[in-house]
Amino acid sequence: MAWAPEAPAAHGTGGGSTLEVLRALASGPRGLTEAEADDRLARHGENVFPGRRPASRTRRLARSLRDPFTAVLLCLGLVSAALTSWGTACVIAVLVAVSCLLRATGEHRADRSVAALRELVATTATVRRRPDPDAPPVTRELPVDALVPGDVVLLAPGDLVPADLRLLRATGLTVHEGALTGESAPVEKRARPDARPDAGAGPVDAGSDRSALCLQGSSVVSGTGSGVVVATGRATVLSGALPAARRRTRRPAGPFERSVNGIAWTLVRFMLLTAPLVLIAGALVRGRGLEALPFAVAVAVALTPEMLPVVVTSALARGAALLARDGEVVVRRLPALHDLGAVDVLCVDKTGTLTEDRPVLVLGEDGDGRADPGVLHWAAVNALWTLHLAELPVPDALDEAVLDAAAAAGEEGEDYEGVEALPCGPGRRLSTAVVRRPGDSRFALARTHLLVVKGAPEDVLERCALAPADRERLARRAAALAAGGLRVLAVARAERPAPGRPYGPADERELTFTGFLGLSDAPAPTAAAALAGLTRHGVTVKVLTGDHPGTAARVCHELGLRPGTPVTADRIDALDEAELARLAARTTVFARCTPEHKARIVRALRAGGATTGFLGDGVNDLAALHAADVGVCPRQGVDVARESADVVLASKDLTALDRAIVVGRRSTANIASYLRITLSSNLGNVIAMLVAGLMLPFLPMFPAQVLVQNLCFDAAQLALAFDRPAPGSGARPAVLRPRALVRFMTGFGLLNAAADLATFGVLVLAAGEAGFQAGWFTENLLTQAMVMLLLRSGRGRAPGPVRCAVAGLAVLGLLVPVSPVGAMLSMSPLPPLYYGLLGLVLGLYAGCLAVARGRWVSPLPRPFP
């Protein structure tokens, strides 16, 4: 892909030799002093990507107006104002203002909480600085926003490149630049001390030699390096190359977004049909014309759950705060908490998740299958001197396991002197340590070296002096050990005269086979309990690993997870998407997986209808993290994986993730409570209004009365975000389903309408036309308070906020008609007889509601039946 951003002037330092770059930046390989860094930070500003600043309150208010419910309310308010129905228009304006203000305030608090939580997982960079000009350089971790031009940054696998760097040193360094170039393949980088890009000291463009530049937005795939910062913040190529509108990549709609949008547009269609229906029915039956339009508008508003965005934001923000209280889980994107509660398939890697990040030695045997401590001794010699002599970015876990076992057995291998080491690397699955005995002659011609080789069995056996039959026999033994779930290493050695030149792979030949080592991953202490908990909560765990299928199956057996028949990558490659979706649904273990295989499996599971989570921590997990509905990364994960995740765990502990899933389901249950309570009550009122409007010679309730009642009910329901759902509400995946919601609101809406129609009979008998509106206003608020108590998702005693809201709603229903506010709304006091008959109606309604709830709602609570 062609790439020619208009780089800022600061990139003039990107050209020239390394010495010229360092001089232009007034820096050096030892880094800046702290005083110089502070001065440059004041001059250049923080290294912050421009698109990451939080939205202002004004922008949040404007964004609230884009909600479909708010947009419809605004249209209805404009219609009322055009008809000079100023009371209706004013109440609608208050509803819109309250909804937008509460939503903007809730989002502000949620953003502030998430920003505070992100400090727990703030991205850092490894920087070399000096306390003062004469002090030696000190390497330490700094927040990326503290970087300044001239800083020397160290890079390692998995690091995000924190600013635009000119490389000073690179060892096997490859970088993924897909965010900048669109290319999927990693790019090799190398330090070029004397290089001068073709573009000279000008901007970086498609014609420049960028091999010595690492740009912000890229990530390290392999190797190590160091570089000097040439641009930060707005001066970086990434900030200049991307227009502001495209700085944030929009993810595909997740379960939360799809559910809420589906519910919103279903209700908008209801609303758009209701107002014309009221007008047509009034004109045909009662001969009313446009004078009924304000009432029709009020009926449409009565069906609207104006506080849905507010309740959703509050419920999810409260759940995220509960998870972060102990610092175990950080939800970086609030809708991800709902999606986490909807997860029914969780894909995990084996190493570090189901097992600890350390293998343990199980066996050491010679070529005849007999236990032989000498195999461990020679493996320890190889591991010790490979770690000492090779320039490795991080110690190899297998070498550390060998050394731990050797130390316990007294076979450290320190009785040799290291000469040279050939470590493992890309495409190389063995390591060689060249050693000599301490008493060996120091004269070059008489010197004898010992080559100790350790690595993958097939690679080591290929280099051994063996008969074909013996090589085949040993290969079968290695395969049998691997099929039993062990990680197998072969050990071989050879004694050679010192060559007088550096050693290379060509010297790894004619080796004498020593034996095999078998290592097993130690299961994580909490993995078995966590897997059992996930199973109880309806989450299917699938293992996606690059290891041998036997190794993965062994770990699953040890943890009580049935592995079935593992599927390997070669079989995945032979399947199309539909076939893979069917296979993925019934397979537990996928082995020998590359990053592309993991992402493809996750996409196949989603295509099959599963809501999928993926737990990963490395660069090789990025594709799968993006492909999943919810990407989860432990705090110890590499920077680029952590920044891509929706949820960050304090550790690779599935127990914390299990708790997060339960909290997500309970937050969804609270949102579902609000929806089924408000919509069933609103639908019942709308049906009753339609019937009463056709049967009575007067309007059953004036538009302003309808809207004030709606405002009181909406305000009370904000308390549902703080409800305590029933203990079993986290037992199943929770998804907001529009069709199930429509069924629920229809059934309970008809029941509510029946109570309203019974109240009409009581009103005609006891209150007459003068008190009809006041009586129905009181009955509506009392029934809505009752519905809040009986249809909430929780069991037992309601929490304080819900009790206060219900009590406040009931008090308003009783006091408003006899207060000055009631007179302003054209209400008159009611006779005492009405309250007695109303109590009877409410008692019957409560009994019917309890019976219907018991038959409709499953004993194991779900968001919607």
Side-chain angles (χ1 to χ4, degrees), residues 361-376 473-474 476-478 480-481 486 488-491 513-518:
L361 187 70
V362 175
L363 63 86
E365 62 178 40
D366 61 16
D368 296 323
R370 296 187 298 265
D372 184 359
V375 180
L376 176 59
R473 174 179 60 83
L474 292 172
R476 286 198 302 270
R477 177 57 181 164
L481 292 173
L486 297 179
V488 184
L489 296 175
V491 181
F513 180 75
T514 302
F516 292 120
L517 290 180

Side-chain angles (χ1 to χ4, degrees), residues 140-517:
R140 61 193 182 97
E141 295 289 319
L142 288 178
V144 295
D145 56 11
L147 295 182
V148 295
D151 265 328
V152 175
V153 176
L154 307 184
L155 300 175
D159 286 349
L160 286 171
V161 177
D164 288 357
L165 309 178
R166 169 66 185 266
L167 288 174
L168 304 176
R169 179 188 62 81
T171 304
L173 187 65
T174 61
V175 174
H176 188 274
E177 295 184 334
L180 296 162
T181 65
E183 301 292 341
S184 59
V187 178
E188 181 182 358
K189 296 292 182 178
R190 54 191 180 275
R192 298 168 62 89
D194 301 321
R196 290 179 178 272
D198 296 336
V204 179
D205 59 27
S208 301
D209 181 357
R210 300 195 306 274
S211 63
L213 291 173
C214 287
L215 303 178
Q216 185 185 47
S218 55
S219 57
V220 180
V221 177
S222 63
T224 59
S226 63
V228 60
V229 176
V230 297
T232 60
R234 293 182 177 274
T236 61
V237 168
L238 182 62
S239 297
L242 298 178
R246 300 180 61 187
R247 279 180 181 141
R248 291 185 179 182
T249 302
R250 182 172 177 81
R251 298 178 57 150
F256 174 80
E257 190 174 349
R258 292 195 301 268
S259 297
V260 171
N261 285 343
I263 291 168
W265 289 110
T266 298
L267 295 176
V268 166
R269 293 186 189 99
F270 267 101
M271 293 164 53
L272 296 177
L273 288 174
T274 300
L277 183 61
V278 172
L279 284 176
I280 293 172
L284 294 177
V285 178
R286 288 292 173 183
R288 301 187 183 111
L290 289 178
E291 67 271 13
L293 185 57
F295 178 71
V297 170
V299 171
V301 173
L303 190 60
T304 309
E306 300 92 351
M307 298 300 169
L308 177 60
V310 182
V311 172
V312 167
T313 302
S314 300
L316 295 179
R318 183 169 182 267
L322 289 175
L323 288 173
R325 181 174 296 170
D326 299 325
E328 290 189 351
V329 180
V330 176
V331 179
R332 301 181 69 246
R333 185 176 62 88
L334 282 183
L337 186 59
H338 166 275
D339 296 346
L340 198 60
V343 164
D344 51 16
V345 175
L346 177 65
C347 299
V348 301
D349 195 2
K350 176 185 66 65
T351 305
T353 303
L354 302 182
T355 62
E356 295 183 340
D357 283 327
R358 59 176 188 89
V360 293
L361 187 70
V362 175
L363 63 86
E365 62 178 40
D366 61 16
D368 296 323
R370 296 187 298 265
D372 184 359
V375 180
L376 176 59
H377 167 76
W378 292 113
V381 171
N382 171 280
L384 177 67
W385 292 108
T386 300
L387 289 174
H388 278 338
L389 299 176
E391 188 178 344
L392 300 176
V394 291
D396 184 84
L398 295 179
D399 284 344
E400 291 187 327
V402 168
L403 291 174
D404 288 343
E411 298 281 353
E412 290 92 341
E414 294 180 349
D415 48 345
Y416 292 87
E417 292 180 359
V419 176
E420 195 171 343
L422 303 176
C424 297
R428 177 178 164 82
R429 301 191 300 165
L430 53 81
S431 64
T432 297
V434 182
V435 299
R436 70 181 179 188
R437 296 179 181 87
D440 196 7
S441 171
R442 295 187 180 274
F443 294 101
L445 294 178
R447 202 176 298 162
T448 300
H449 290 168
L450 190 64
L451 279 70
V452 185
V453 181
K454 169 174 60 65
E458 51 269 36
D459 291 27
V460 174
L461 290 175
E462 181 183 353
R463 291 163 172 79
C464 291
L466 293 168
D470 290 335
R471 183 178 284 110
E472 184 178 350
R473 174 179 60 83
L474 292 172
R476 286 198 302 270
R477 177 57 181 164
L481 292 173
L486 297 179
R487 302 175 71 172
V488 184
L489 296 175
V491 181
R493 63 188 191 276
E495 191 167 336
R496 304 275 171 79
R501 56 172 174 79
Y503 283 90
D507 295 304
E508 298 166 337
R509 55 182 174 75
E510 299 298 319
L511 305 175
T512 300
F513 180 75
T514 302
F516 292 120
L517 290 180

Side-chain angles (χ1 to χ4, degrees), residues 79 91 119 239 436 528 542 576 667 698 765 824:
V79 170
V91 176
E119 295 299 324
S239 297
R436 70 181 179 188
K542 297 185 182 292
D576 61 25
S667 298
F698 55 86
L765 176 66
M824 293 172 57

Side-chain angles (χ1 to χ4, degrees), residues 834-850:
Y834 168 73
Y835 292 102
L837 296 175
L838 178 60
L840 178 62
V841 171
L842 292 178
L844 292 173
Y845 176 58
C848 294
L849 200 62

